[in-house]
Amino acid sequence: MPSVARNSSFKILQKFSPDYAPCTITKYESKRTGMSVVVVDREGPKVNGFFTLATEIHDDSGAPHTLEHLCFMGSKSYRYKGVLDKLATRAYSNTNAWTAADHTAYTLDTAGWEGFAQILPIYLEHVVVPTLTDAGCYTEVHHVDGTGHDAGVVYSEMQGVQNTQGELMNLRAKRLLYPENVGFRYETGGMMEQLRVLTADRIRKFHRDMYQPKNLCLVIVGGVDHTDLLQILDTFEDSIIGDIPPPDTPFKRPWVDSEPAPPLTKSVIETVEFPEEDESSGEITITFFGPSCNDLIHASALNILLVYLAGSSASVLENTLVEKEQVASAVYYSIEIRPKILIQFALSSVATESLEEVEKRFFEVLRETAANPLDMTYLKDCIARERRMVKNSAETSTTPFSEPIIYDFLFAGRDGSMLKDDLSSLKEYDELVSWPEERWQHWIKSWMSDANHVTILGRPSAKLSKKLESEEKTRIEEQKKKLGPEGLAALEKKLAEAKAENDRDIPRELLAQFPVPSTKSIHFIGTTTARSGAARKLGQLDNEVQRLVDNDDTQLPLFIHFEHVQSNFAHVSLIISTESVPIPLRPLLTIYLENMFTSPIERKGQRVEFEQVIKELEKDTVDYGIGIGSAIGNPEVLVMRISVEVEKYASAIQWLKELIWNGIFDLERIASTTVRLLADIPEAKRSGSNMLAAVEEMIHSAPASIVRARSTLVNALYLKGVRHYLRKDPEVIIGQLEEIRNALFQFSNLRVAVVANVGKLLQPVSSWKDFIADLDTSKPLNPLEKRISRISEAGRNPGKLSYMVPMPTIDSSFALSVAKGPSSLKDPQLPALMVALSYLNAVEGPLWVAVRGTGLAYGTSFVGYTDSGQISYSVYRSPNAFKAFQTGRSVVEGFANGKTDFDPLALEGAISSIVLSLANSQATVAVAAQLSFELQVMRELPSDWNNQMLEKVRGVKVNEIRAVMKDLVLPVLTAATANLVVTCAPVMEEELVKGFQGLGFTPEVRSLTSFQDDYGMKIPEGEDIEGEDDEIDGEDGYIDHEEDDESNDDTP
């Protein structure tokens, strides 16, 4: 690391290297302005910045959130909307930001130090000295358009979340937890009714109060040139010193100098209704105040206890309330770091009529736990595993330590002494191991079971759904009537004037001042490949790692692909072909995968119960999971993985064998999973974006697709059939699960990927001998199935279908159109298509300016999928998805027909964005190894394919880009060549249908249920599955160890 400039105003407060992570942490503070800087030096191609301000407000105006958006609209020296992002794109960078309850963070994600250093001072000026114009506030925050509808980027964002179940429950909890003089009480994102009256002056005042250098901390992670950094910051301070309040002006530090939240004087239980037509199940949240966030020992004890209480199916709350008593589908926990840590439990999919009883039972279980002996062996295993996971995260996270550094800045002393104490070692776990049982019991009692709390019972209401729809319709009509034709015309004119002011052309000479940086400062991570068994057919390798493998190779036929990296952990993955599984049974994979790690096993003739299996797994591993292989380029295969400390490599292999072949298909476990999954379906159906993707999957994937077979819209019917047979004839389901196991785990379906320091592995190949001992190894390896082979006729030949799906649970709209695209990474049009999509998707690029910049949607994007041979265009969270779609089409048409010229500087930026995406794919040793495996094994490409493609991308000509715009991109927005799906609030349905009809689409209005598929899981005639009792002899479900999203994706 270069030496620090001696005359810098930035002085080192702390410098240390954690004894468990390969990095050095340095904290600086400016003696001139008080600005803080914390650098985490680590190797890799990426440099990430988190420019964080403590922000506190005592109203729901949304000023913190709106300011976060407006800072990107221009600054003192760069008075043009979008200039920051256009320059960032050229410098292999991407910007973003978020607003939390207690801080606002601006992010800079860059490949290499040179690009980061180029953008840093420009970005900081946008944060500290932004323009904050009236016109920017009008378009970005809120306005009424010429049709009388409310719009604006921030407004459409909050419109999409304000009346959701989670937001309504969370807001009420905040109101009960905090009094009016505490900032945590308020919705910093802004309530819609407040955003409609928020003024630019209010936002400017908030900026003046909060956005001072002394209230700013720069957190930078990556390979940093410290001398260069401090020179940049010194020069930046020179440039803004006259624009900020005098540095010696008294400043009330947010949160630290504010009134603390008083303790709760009593427990409160309230019911909150949320809009939902399915009134069968609700949610419960229970919130406590915890210890001080600056108390490392007690904060660490909290993390351990939460894992002990609700971290897995073996934990107390999950095991009792979910597995045994089946009163909830899951018990989640979360913490929010505040001066007093906020502890929250959430119980999902609770029968609506049982909400009050289940809340009482939750506390009975907590009190019983505190009163009875604890499982101290398991608790100490939780401590040991937490320690391992922290070490693993330090290796695998792209931004290790950024979060604790931010919270240290917000709530701890300015000198960084607590930061050093917290991060330099893991000594807190040594102390916790010595805690006696009674101290843990006292902790549970004092902070949870006997503590005052706020409980919110979330109750679904079809009546509220209709009421909100009616009220919004009435409000809009009254707004239109009040404004009248002249008023609407005036607003249309005002909006046009604001857009014209915001969208002034950025002088080309300004952009050209900043050249595209050299890639020399981008230090890509290299891995070394070795092969054993059937993997050798991919080619012979000559390197030191291969020789290590060869020395242990006993002619084992198993396909094993090694990626050698510097790591203290071994990541072992089993890639499994699904072609052998009969199509009618593929929906049953949902239950099979959910139970893989949570079923009893047979060991030496003895049954080991699932709770003991989980405890032993967690004792041996860092992580484990099973799911589909999207992250390795093929969602139609399964990936089962276990990560362990490198010395436990053989143990990981043994676990794979035990779980696969010794797992017991236990009726109680199967039944509990089925009931739990069914209970989760109403909640899954509340998300507009998730259901948009689910309907698209049902349309474009064939029944053979395991992605389709495991979707919510299949589970909704299929699992009811499973529940029926578990009740009437359980051997049918158990036999089918056995059939799935036998179909999957044939030798010819299996490939292994190992990511580790191969030199530290004892017997890297021969350790697998016992794993395949009982398998028929005579059959050749089956080829991996391709996603494109499981696309439906509608997916292969789009252009005939369009659907409008009204959803009462959402207040906005989402759209997705799909057309044909390249189906091979070797397609000659692919380089030009990559540049075209990068150009269109760029922040402050053509789509951004035309759609998000005018408040038509929170976001839009094009995505190409070579695995399925498709290209999609999506509109995310829009007040009118048709207008956003139509505008996107107009943008593409302009490029396709030659009426709009390509900006050479923006094309350079598009290529730079591709460079950044390549750096992202190699950001850590783990993901670099994953990429190498994907390219060589899954896609049958050389490991340096990215470098080859980059050369092709750099050689793309403008005429080639225009050609793909016409031939490939425009068809995605054309009715004759694209299929369309829209999810929307019911109040929007009529207008959206009419709009898309004007573009040649013929939207068919359909319900979500109309897309459901039972895969032939028929119920005997005369038996009503809807009326069956959910109670099945057995315990209720398990939440998968690591995934609860729709895709259940997994990676090596």
Side-chain angles (χ1 to χ4, degrees):
M1 183 181 73
S3 60
V4 175
R6 293 181 181 178
N7 60 349
S8 173
S9 67
F10 286 84
K11 304 304 179 185
I12 294 177
L13 298 182
Q14 301 290 342
K15 182 177 178 182
F16 60 94
S17 296
D19 61 13
Y20 55 93
C23 67
T24 299
I25 299 174
T26 308
K27 176 165 186 174
Y28 300 94
E29 185 177 75
S30 170
K31 299 303 180 185
R32 181 161 43 165
T33 67
M35 186 192 304
S36 298
V37 183
V38 182
V39 179
V40 181
D41 279 294
R42 62 173 311 201
E43 294 182 1
K46 299 292 296 298
V47 182
N48 292 91
F50 303 85
F51 311 147
T52 306
L53 298 116
T55 46
E56 180 178 359
I57 196 167
H58 292 180
D59 60 43
D60 297 316
S61 66
H65 185 199
T66 56
L67 180 55
E68 171 223 308
H69 284 250
L70 292 171
C71 280
F72 291 92
M73 303 287 281
S75 69
K76 178 181 73 169
S77 304
Y78 307 91
R79 307 184 70 84
Y80 301 91
K81 174 191 173 189
V83 66
L84 170 63
D85 285 303
K86 286 182 180 291
L87 292 173
T89 301
R90 290 171 57 77
Y92 317 124
S93 298
N94 186 36
T95 69
N96 210 332
W98 73 74
T99 303
D102 46 30
H103 70 277
T104 304
Y106 296 84
T107 64
L108 181 57
D109 179 20
T110 308
W113 169 253
E114 190 174 336
F116 189 95
Q118 183 166 294
I119 298 303
L120 178 60
I122 304 169
Y123 201 162
L124 292 181
E125 186 180 280
H126 276 71
V127 172
V128 178
V129 200
T131 53
L132 301 182
T133 65
D134 289 343
C137 184
Y138 194 68
T139 59
E140 191 77 7
V141 178
H142 171 264
H143 58 266
V144 177
D145 64 21
T147 68
H149 289 83
D150 298 88
V153 176
V154 176
Y155 187 84
S156 65
E157 179 183 353
M158 299 313 295
Q159 183 183 46
V161 300
Q162 182 164 314
N163 289 315
T164 60
Q165 165 247 314
E167 183 67 17
L168 289 169
M169 293 176 67
N170 184 51
L171 182 64
R172 188 57 193 150
K174 289 192 288 190
R175 300 293 204 236
L176 295 171
L177 286 162
Y178 298 104
E180 292 183 357
N181 65 338
V182 177
F184 292 116
R185 174 185 176 87
Y186 300 96
E187 174 50 73
T188 54
M191 304 292 286
M192 284 190 288
E193 53 272 23
Q194 296 288 331
L195 290 170
R196 290 196 286 265
V197 298
L198 179 62
T199 66
D201 283 340
R202 176 69 183 93
I203 299 170
R204 292 183 190 112
K205 182 180 185 305
F206 185 78
H207 181 273
R208 187 166 56 251
D209 292 343
M210 295 288 162
Y211 278 49
Q212 300 184 31
K214 67 182 69 175
N215 193 36
L216 172 64
C217 179
L218 313 183
V219 182
I220 305 175
V221 183
V224 177
D225 182 329
H226 285 240
T227 300
D228 192 20
L229 170 65
L230 298 188
Q231 288 175 347
I232 290 168
L233 294 179
D234 283 325
T235 302
F236 171 71
E237 287 193 331
D238 291 340
S239 72
I240 55 98
I241 198 70
D243 300 299
I244 62 174
D248 58 356
T249 302
F251 179 73
K252 181 182 177 183
R253 191 175 168 195
W255 309 116
V256 173
D257 296 334
S258 301
E259 284 291 321
L264 292 171
T265 57
K266 62 179 181 178
S267 294
V268 180
I269 302 178
E270 282 201 9
T271 297
V272 170
E273 290 188 338
F274 59 89
E276 170 63 276
E277 288 186 340
D278 184 341
E279 297 183 332
S280 62
S281 66
E283 311 288 321
I284 301 173
T285 61
I286 302 164
T287 310
F288 309 87
F289 284 125
S292 166
C293 66
N294 293 326
D295 184 335
L296 176 61
I297 297 300
H298 282 93
S300 300
L302 170 61
N303 288 329
I304 300 301
L305 270 179
L306 289 173
V307 172
Y308 179 87
L309 291 171
S312 72
S313 293
S315 60
V316 178
L317 292 169
E318 273 271 334
N319 192 256
T320 304
L321 301 177
V322 177
E323 304 296 342
K324 294 178 179 176
E325 299 179 6
Q326 303 180 19
V327 295
S329 69
V331 179
Y332 300 104
Y333 67 83
S334 63
I335 62 170
E336 292 188 39
I337 305 300
R338 296 179 178 177
K340 290 290 186 183
I341 296 174
L342 214 58
I343 308 165
Q344 186 172 91
F345 290 93
L347 286 73
S348 64
S349 302
V350 177
T352 305
E353 66 275 11
S354 303
L355 288 168
E356 291 84 357
E357 292 80 2
V358 173
E359 194 268 353
K360 292 176 183 175
R361 180 61 182 139
F362 173 89
F363 280 98
E364 288 174 1
V365 175
L366 267 186
R367 294 183 183 113
E368 290 166 5
T369 301
N372 294 319
L374 302 177
D375 184 343
M376 291 302 294
T377 300
Y378 178 51
L379 197 150
K380 290 183 178 180
D381 286 343
C382 289
I383 297 172
R385 190 165 194 262
E386 184 75 8
R387 185 199 296 264
R388 291 197 301 273
M389 291 175 70
V390 171
K391 290 181 179 180
N392 184 55
S393 177
E395 283 189 9
T396 58
S397 170
T398 56
T399 55
F401 307 117
S402 58
E403 186 173 308
I405 291 170
I406 288 172
Y407 286 113
D408 178 84
F409 166 70
L410 294 178
F411 303 129
R414 297 294 298 257
D415 64 358
S417 58
M418 189 170 294
L419 181 70
K420 181 177 181 180
D421 191 50
D422 288 357
L423 298 183
S424 60
S425 72
L426 301 177
K427 62 182 182 302
E428 62 270 23
Y429 299 110
D430 296 329
E431 179 170 338
L432 292 177
V433 167
S434 68
W435 273 23
E437 180 182 39
E438 50 274 17
R439 189 166 182 183
W440 291 104
Q441 291 170 316
H442 175 73
W443 207 105
I444 296 173
K445 291 176 183 176
S446 58
W447 294 110
M448 295 182 195
S449 64
D450 296 344
N452 290 328
H453 56 274
V454 168
T455 293
I456 303 295
L457 306 178
R459 186 178 297 274
S461 170
K463 185 177 179 181
L464 177 61
S465 177
K466 292 180 175 63
K467 178 173 178 282
L468 290 171
E469 178 186 348
S470 174
E471 288 178 348
E472 179 65 3
K473 200 175 227 177
T474 300
R475 188 187 69 80
I476 295 295
E477 289 305 316
E478 289 178 351
Q479 184 166 270
K480 290 179 181 179
K481 184 177 179 180
K482 181 180 179 181
L483 290 167
E486 291 184 2
L488 291 173
L491 289 176
E492 186 70 25
K493 181 182 178 183
K494 182 178 179 180
L495 179 59
E497 290 172 348
K499 289 179 181 177
E501 180 180 338
N502 291 337
D503 297 337
R504 289 177 301 133
D505 289 339
I506 302 171
R508 293 183 55 77
E509 57 270 21
L510 174 60
L511 298 175
Q513 289 177 29
F514 298 89
V516 175
S518 164
T519 57
K520 291 180 180 178
S521 69
I522 306 175
H523 304 298
F524 289 101
I525 296 172
T527 66
T528 305
T529 301
R531 297 169 180 148
S532 177
R536 292 179 181 275
K537 293 180 180 179
L538 296 179
Q540 297 295 320
L541 299 172
D542 183 16
N543 57 61
E544 186 59 37
V545 179
Q546 184 64 58
R547 284 185 279 278
L548 287 172
V549 168
D550 291 344
N551 288 339
D552 184 49
D553 196 333
T554 56
Q555 301 304 307
L556 210 66
L558 182 64
F559 182 109
I560 309 179
H561 178 104
F562 293 92
E563 286 295 330
H564 173 74
V565 298
Q566 294 302 316
S567 175
N568 293 312
F569 299 90
H571 308 281
V572 180
S573 299
L574 191 64
I575 295 83
I576 310 148
S577 167
T578 59
E579 192 64 29
S580 304
V581 178
I583 291 175
L585 296 187
R586 291 182 187 179
L588 198 56
L589 282 168
T590 299
I591 292 174
Y592 184 82
L593 300 184
E594 289 284 337
N595 282 347
M596 176 61 77
F597 293 96
T598 59
S599 292
I601 62 172
E602 183 178 337
R603 181 184 292 158
K604 298 179 180 179
Q606 299 295 314
R607 177 182 168 113
V608 181
E609 295 300 335
F610 82 93
E611 294 94 341
Q612 186 61 30
V613 171
I614 293 171
K615 290 178 180 179
E616 292 182 18
L617 258 174
E618 293 186 347
K619 183 176 182 179
D620 284 348
T621 67
V622 175
D623 200 7
Y624 54 85
I626 186 168
I628 63 175
S630 294
I632 56 170
N634 192 337
E636 297 297 337
V637 302
L638 299 176
V639 180
M640 182 178 181
R641 62 175 179 73
I642 296 181
S643 297
V644 295
E645 291 169 301
V646 70
E647 59 268 20
K648 292 189 175 181
Y649 174 64
S651 176
I653 299 169
Q654 179 60 31
W655 270 117
L656 288 174
K657 179 172 183 177
E658 275 200 318
L659 292 164
I660 291 168
W661 286 291
N662 294 4
I664 297 171
F665 295 122
D666 180 77
L667 176 58
E668 291 184 346
R669 301 299 305 132
I670 300 165
S672 66
T673 298
T674 304
V675 173
R676 193 268 296 171
L677 290 171
L678 278 168
D680 278 342
I681 287 171
E683 182 179 359
K685 286 185 174 181
R686 291 170 192 153
S687 167
S689 59
N690 286 349
M691 288 302 98
L692 183 80
V695 171
E696 186 274 333
E697 190 65 51
M698 298 302 291
I699 295 169
H700 292 138
S701 293
S705 167
I706 66 169
V707 181
R708 183 186 191 275
R710 298 177 57 253
S711 76
T712 298
L713 296 178
V714 170
N715 286 343
L717 288 182
Y718 189 92
L719 294 178
K720 289 178 180 177
V722 172
R723 180 181 62 185
H724 168 83
Y725 280 103
L726 288 174
R727 184 178 176 85
K728 303 294 186 182
D729 190 2
E731 290 305 316
V732 170
I733 302 302
I734 290 175
Q736 290 175 340
L737 289 168
E738 190 65 62
E739 186 177 352
I740 288 175
R741 170 159 58 187
N742 292 334
L744 286 175
F745 295 104
Q746 303 171 33
F747 177 80
S748 54
N749 286 340
L750 305 179
R751 292 166 173 81
V752 173
V754 178
V755 178
N757 184 331
V758 178
K760 293 183 178 180
L761 298 179
L762 295 175
Q763 300 177 317
V765 179
S766 58
S767 294
W768 290 91
K769 186 175 181 180
D770 186 57
F771 180 82
I772 64 169
D774 299 324
L775 297 181
D776 179 1
T777 61
S778 63
K779 295 181 181 179
L781 197 62
N782 291 327
L784 289 166
E785 50 271 56
K786 302 296 184 183
R787 169 71 171 154
I788 198 166
S789 69
R790 295 181 177 179
I791 298 299
S792 69
E793 175 60 27
R796 288 193 297 271
N797 296 291
K800 303 177 181 67
L801 305 177
S802 56
Y803 299 106
M804 188 73 56
V805 186
M807 295 178 59
T809 56
I810 62 177
D811 289 330
S812 56
S813 59
F814 304 80
L816 182 67
S817 59
V818 178
K820 285 185 178 180
S823 58
S824 168
L825 290 174
K826 299 177 182 178
D827 190 300
Q829 288 185 297
L830 186 59
L833 179 63
M834 291 172 66
V835 176
L837 299 189
S838 180
Y839 186 92
L840 289 170
N841 290 336
V843 178
E844 291 298 341
L847 280 178
W848 179 289
V849 170
V851 180
R852 175 170 170 138
T854 57
L856 291 177
Y858 188 69
T860 63
S861 65
F862 283 95
V863 181
Y865 303 93
T866 54
D867 62 341
S868 60
Q870 296 171 325
I871 304 172
S872 72
Y873 174 68
S874 64
V875 175
Y876 180 77
R877 200 181 287 162
S878 169
N880 188 315
F882 161 69
K883 288 184 178 181
F885 186 94
Q886 183 184 44
T887 301
R889 177 183 166 84
S890 297
V891 169
V892 174
E893 276 183 323
F895 290 113
N897 62 26
K899 291 182 179 179
T900 305
D901 292 328
F902 290 96
D903 180 351
L905 296 178
L907 284 173
E908 288 181 345
I911 294 171
S912 294
S913 291
I914 295 172
V915 173
L916 175 59
S917 71
L918 298 181
N920 287 335
S921 69
Q922 303 173 60
T924 67
V925 292
V927 296
Q930 175 184 300
L931 174 66
S932 181
F933 174 82
E934 176 187 345
L935 290 173
Q936 295 182 71
V937 178
M938 307 305 293
R939 299 189 181 274
E940 300 176 347
L941 294 167
S943 59
D944 66 345
W945 178 86
N946 276 354
N947 294 332
Q948 296 178 26
M949 180 55 70
L950 186 55
E951 288 303 311
K952 293 177 182 178
V953 161
R954 284 178 166 147
V956 167
K957 307 299 183 186
V958 169
N959 64 311
E960 296 176 291
I961 303 171
R962 197 177 300 281
V964 298
M965 286 281 194
K966 179 180 178 181
D967 299 339
L968 296 176
V969 183
L970 187 57
V972 183
L973 303 160
T974 304
T977 49
N979 291 335
L980 172 72
V981 180
V982 179
T983 55
C984 65
V987 71
M988 299 177 177
E989 174 196 318
E990 184 178 345
E991 185 175 358
L992 290 175
V993 168
K994 189 181 298 183
F996 280 106
Q997 285 174 339
L999 289 180
F1001 291 94
T1002 55
E1004 178 184 349
V1005 179
R1006 285 177 55 175
S1007 66
L1008 280 174
T1009 57
S1010 69
F1011 293 97
Q1012 296 177 167
D1013 185 355
D1014 63 11
Y1015 272 69
M1017 177 60 82
K1018 304 297 183 184
I1019 307 304
E1021 191 174 347
E1023 298 192 30
D1024 180 12
I1025 61 174
E1026 295 293 344
E1028 287 188 359
D1029 187 351
D1030 278 357
E1031 294 290 336
I1032 304 173
D1033 290 337
E1035 301 169 358
D1036 196 359
Y1038 166 66
I1039 295 298
D1040 182 76
H1041 170 69
E1042 57 159 26
E1043 298 129 348
D1044 30 83
D1045 61 272
E1046 180 84 20
S1047 68
N1048 200 25
D1049 188 16
D1050 223 313
T1051 65

